[in-house]
Amino acid sequence: MRSEQQATLEPGLRAGTATAVAQPNIALIKYWGKSDEKLFLPRTDSLSMTLDIFPTTTRVRLAPEAARDTVTFNGEAATGEAERRITAFLELVRERSGRTERADVDTRNTVPTGAGLASSASGFAALAVAAAAAYGLELDATGLSRLARRGSGSASRSIFGGFAVWHAGRADAGPEEADLSSYAEPVPAADLDPALVIAVVNAGPKEVSSRVAMRRTMDTSPLFEPWAVSSGADLADMRVALERGDLAAVGEIAERNALGMHATMLAARPAVRYMSPASLTVLDSVLQLRRDGVAAYATMDAGPNVKVLCPRADAERVAEAVRAAAPGRAVHIAGPGRGARLLDEDER
Ligand code: PMV
């Protein structure tokens, strides 16, 4: 069954062309900082919820006659950094599969790109699943998670549906062992029925990429190490809260972890500040919701957009409050979604 939670290569699937779909994930315990930039090993473990909106659909087709890869992004030829990252990723898949054909990649993204809305997570998770299948690389879900990690760290988590933890692994080991040690896996959770209300404060691409911002934070922020240590404790608390099904605790831990991450960036030299006045207005509305008795908690990534975790039953009320705080901005309601998967012919 190709429509299962975890993406694995069907035995007998013909190498050549494959199409995969993946959704973004939003971290409740953040990934911020790499201990190995080449292997994409994170400094800390992280934990996320995969969403049921904003899918990326990617088709990889081997092109045996072609001299180079071609990449089409939302119907247009990809250029620059986006093309370079995808081509480098295909090179890795070719190395692993022992094949040399170039490929045509056609990717369609429904989420604003580069705005801290996890477009790279869905993008590289879909690409990993499609490219592995097209090149005949037989990987289980753990293997696909490791592979997706090499495109974008957070993509390792979008291989799985629901809640997933990404292990930092062992950057101190040799390259092969280090690579194997870092992957995501599902996290046991009670039935929480959560929603994430996403306020798109600004859909434009960010000024500082997460890669550059992470490096600067690790290199120069005196708050980075203390946050990394406390994030380990947050993760342990988060696991307990998820197992108990205590959504308010999940939200409280997620909010402190995210604001702590932004504090590390504000203390970088020079500072990286993704929060805008509109983000702060939305954060204020979340505080007001809590005063009014709604268990709403905010998280933010490498951009000004705010995601509010709350019980699904309160999602409309939270969305209303957020709309009032950010007039004219798009507000989306997401629930937990499925992991990355190959699409059948008739699903495309
Ligand atoms: O999208 P990436 O892999 O460059 O990482 C972004 C990291 C955050 O979104 C800020 C946090 C996270 O864990 O997703």
Side-chain angles (χ1 to χ4, degrees):
M1 294 264 296
R2 267 171 230 170
S3 46
E4 278 178 350
Q5 183 86 342
Q6 298 176 1
T8 48
L9 182 60
E10 281 283 278
L13 182 86
R14 185 173 55 86
T17 300
T19 303
V21 64
Q23 269 104 236
N25 68 77
I26 297 298
L28 303 179
I29 301 292
K30 300 296 182 189
Y31 147 52
W32 195 249
K34 295 183 183 69
S35 52
D36 184 319
E37 290 205 352
K38 181 163 178 283
L39 292 175
F40 283 83
L41 298 181
R43 168 67 178 78
T44 56
D45 297 343
S46 56
L47 187 150
S48 61
M49 183 176 104
T50 299
L51 307 184
D52 60 357
I53 60 171
F54 296 150
T56 297
T57 307
T58 298
R59 189 196 62 199
V60 175
R61 190 169 52 195
L62 301 195
E65 260 90 73
R68 53 192 300 263
D69 297 314
T70 52
V71 180
T72 309
F73 186 82
N74 286 347
E76 287 181 22
T79 54
E81 181 66 3
E83 186 193 17
R84 191 198 61 73
R85 284 178 72 180
I86 291 174
T87 307
F89 189 82
L90 292 172
E91 208 47 65
L92 181 69
V93 176
R94 280 191 281 268
E95 246 169 56
R96 300 232 171 131
S97 62
R99 300 179 71 131
T100 55
E101 300 99 318
R102 306 289 116 176
D104 280 336
V105 176
D106 187 344
T107 184
R108 278 163 208 280
N109 212 349
T110 54
V111 55
T113 304
L117 286 170
S119 59
S120 66
S122 55
F124 279 100
L127 181 63
V129 171
Y135 280 95
L137 202 55
E138 291 204 24
L139 295 173
D140 61 10
T142 308
L144 288 168
S145 175
R146 288 189 190 104
L147 179 63
R149 188 195 83 224
R150 299 289 295 271
S152 173
S154 53
S156 64
R157 300 182 308 231
S158 273
I159 296 296
F160 299 97
F163 297 97
V165 63
W166 171 25
H167 303 291
R170 299 198 40 214
D172 57 341
E176 213 163 297
E177 199 186 330
D179 180 48
L180 288 174
S181 67
S182 183
Y183 53 87
E185 64 183 349
V187 179
D191 196 6
L192 291 158
D193 212 12
L196 261 186
V197 177
I198 300 175
V200 186
V201 165
N202 182 346
K206 53 196 162 225
E207 276 169 33
V208 186
S209 72
S210 52
R211 183 171 48 88
V212 168
M214 278 180 199
R215 186 187 299 155
R216 190 190 300 166
T217 306
M218 274 188 92
D219 289 350
T220 69
S221 172
L223 300 190
F224 180 75
E225 270 308 313
W227 173 79
V229 172
S230 72
S231 194
D234 285 346
L235 178 69
D237 292 348
M238 180 63 85
R239 281 178 176 278
V240 173
L242 285 171
E243 277 196 45
R244 276 206 199 124
D246 185 345
L247 189 57
V250 169
E252 200 176 309
I253 300 161
E255 188 174 286
R256 75 182 184 220
N257 187 266
L259 294 178
M261 175 186 76
H262 283 271
T264 69
M265 299 182 212
L266 289 171
R269 296 160 194 190
V272 180
R273 183 172 61 84
Y274 287 119
M275 289 187 192
S276 68
S279 321
L280 293 175
T281 307
V282 176
L283 292 180
D284 276 349
S285 73
V286 173
L287 275 180
Q288 188 57 47
L289 280 162
R290 288 215 288 276
R291 279 188 216 111
D292 296 343
V294 180
Y297 295 87
T299 185
M300 291 180 66
D301 294 284
N305 303 314
V306 182
K307 297 99 182 180
V308 186
L309 186 72
C310 64
R312 160 113 25 208
D314 293 326
E316 279 303 337
R317 178 169 176 194
V318 170
E320 271 313 304
V322 165
R323 268 187 211 108
R329 278 22 181 255
V331 175
H332 304 270
I333 299 178
R338 297 165 60 192
R341 61 216 173 266
L342 284 171
L343 293 185
D344 283 325
E345 199 62 56
D346 54 4
E347 284 179 293
R348 283 171 211 162

